[in-house]
Amino acid sequence: MKRAIEWKQFEYTCEGGAKLRVYQHNETAKVMYKDKVYLMKQTRSADGGRYSDGKVVWWSKGNGGFLQQDAPDGNGEMIVKGCELDQPRSAEAAAGTVSGTVSYLSRVALPASAIIEVKLRDVSLADAPAKVIAKEEIAMGERQVPVPFELQFDPAKIDPKHTYTVSASILVDGELRFMSDKAYPVLTRGNPGLVEVIVRPLTRPAPPVKPGP
């Protein structure tokens, strides 16, 4: 039997108290607003998550979002704005999940074999290497950025007094081509469970790296 698709459900309250619901699975989103359902695909965006069916676009960033007519100049008629998650995504951290997207701003195409690596690290100890708590490897395939990720971890391993960050890199044929150059704090000290990670190209390809944590 074919395994049923597992959709993630997000409930939003928008301007004027209007309700909006989003179901997400990989690069697909179903947006339900009033009596309409929009089936959308993720499209290229350097700022937040953008989904479109060619006529209507759903933009999400952090815990907010809006729905508008899709126009080439990005100034389509607003359908509903001011949408905020009823349950902020930072709450996902308590359930053992850190999620988000990986993007880059360079106008370059990567081969389908490119691998995105995302890691959750404990960076509390300045005099010791960062400890990897969770790791995910994602094949680039034919998709475009932003590429969604989800890191799952054991909540029992999280110390509220420690500092945790998410980092990402992109490898092509074992060579490091892109990497994040700043820390993205998550989980503790008031930081969220949702981050948008930007990776930047290296000036020179790094030597092949060996698989491992």
Side-chain angles (χ1 to χ4, degrees):
M1 294 180 62
K2 187 176 181 181
R3 186 177 179 181
I5 294 176
E6 296 181 359
W7 295 88
K8 289 185 178 181
Q9 178 178 328
F10 302 98
E11 304 277 352
Y12 291 83
T13 299
C14 307
E15 191 175 67
K19 293 293 185 178
L20 181 144
R21 181 177 299 166
V22 178
Y23 295 91
Q24 288 183 335
H25 175 73
N26 292 340
E27 299 173 45
T28 302
K30 289 192 294 186
V31 180
M32 303 176 66
Y33 177 63
K34 292 188 174 180
D35 58 346
K36 294 185 177 180
V37 178
Y38 305 95
L39 183 61
M40 303 179 174
K41 288 290 187 181
Q42 188 176 26
T43 60
R44 181 178 294 275
S45 169
D47 186 20
R50 184 183 190 277
Y51 295 83
S52 175
D53 63 1
K55 297 181 180 180
V56 175
V57 60
W58 164 250
W59 283 91
S60 65
K61 184 174 182 181
N63 292 317
F66 58 87
L67 191 68
Q68 71 176 151
Q69 298 291 335
D70 198 351
D73 62 0
N75 294 318
E77 181 181 351
M78 190 66 63
I79 298 173
V80 66
K81 61 182 179 179
C83 301
E84 293 290 336
L85 272 172
D86 293 344
Q87 181 180 3
R89 298 193 189 194
S90 57
E92 294 179 9
T97 300
V98 171
S99 58
T101 58
V102 176
S103 301
Y104 57 80
L105 306 180
S106 304
R107 295 182 175 272
V108 297
L110 292 175
S113 60
I115 299 295
I116 301 173
E117 289 188 351
V118 189
K119 297 178 181 179
L120 170 65
R121 290 188 171 105
D122 182 340
V123 295
S124 304
L125 302 178
D127 57 349
K131 181 181 179 181
V132 176
I133 304 298
K135 174 182 175 181
E136 183 181 12
E137 293 187 357
I138 308 164
M140 193 73 183
E142 302 300 325
R143 72 182 78 199
Q144 298 178 339
V145 294
V147 176
F149 69 85
E150 183 174 276
L151 295 168
Q152 297 187 1
F153 58 89
D154 181 357
K157 294 183 178 180
I158 302 301
D159 188 331
K161 298 179 182 178
H162 285 201
T163 301
Y164 300 88
T165 64
V166 168
S167 63
S169 57
I170 301 179
L171 297 91
V172 177
D173 297 328
E175 291 187 347
L176 189 60
R177 296 292 183 87
F178 289 77
M179 66 181 301
S180 50
D181 61 357
K182 59 175 282 188
Y184 292 86
V186 292
L187 299 180
T188 57
R189 305 179 187 275
N191 291 306
L194 174 77
V195 287
E196 297 166 3
V197 180
I198 303 296
V199 294
R200 305 189 184 280
L202 301 180
T203 53
R204 294 181 180 179
V209 297
K210 296 180 179 180

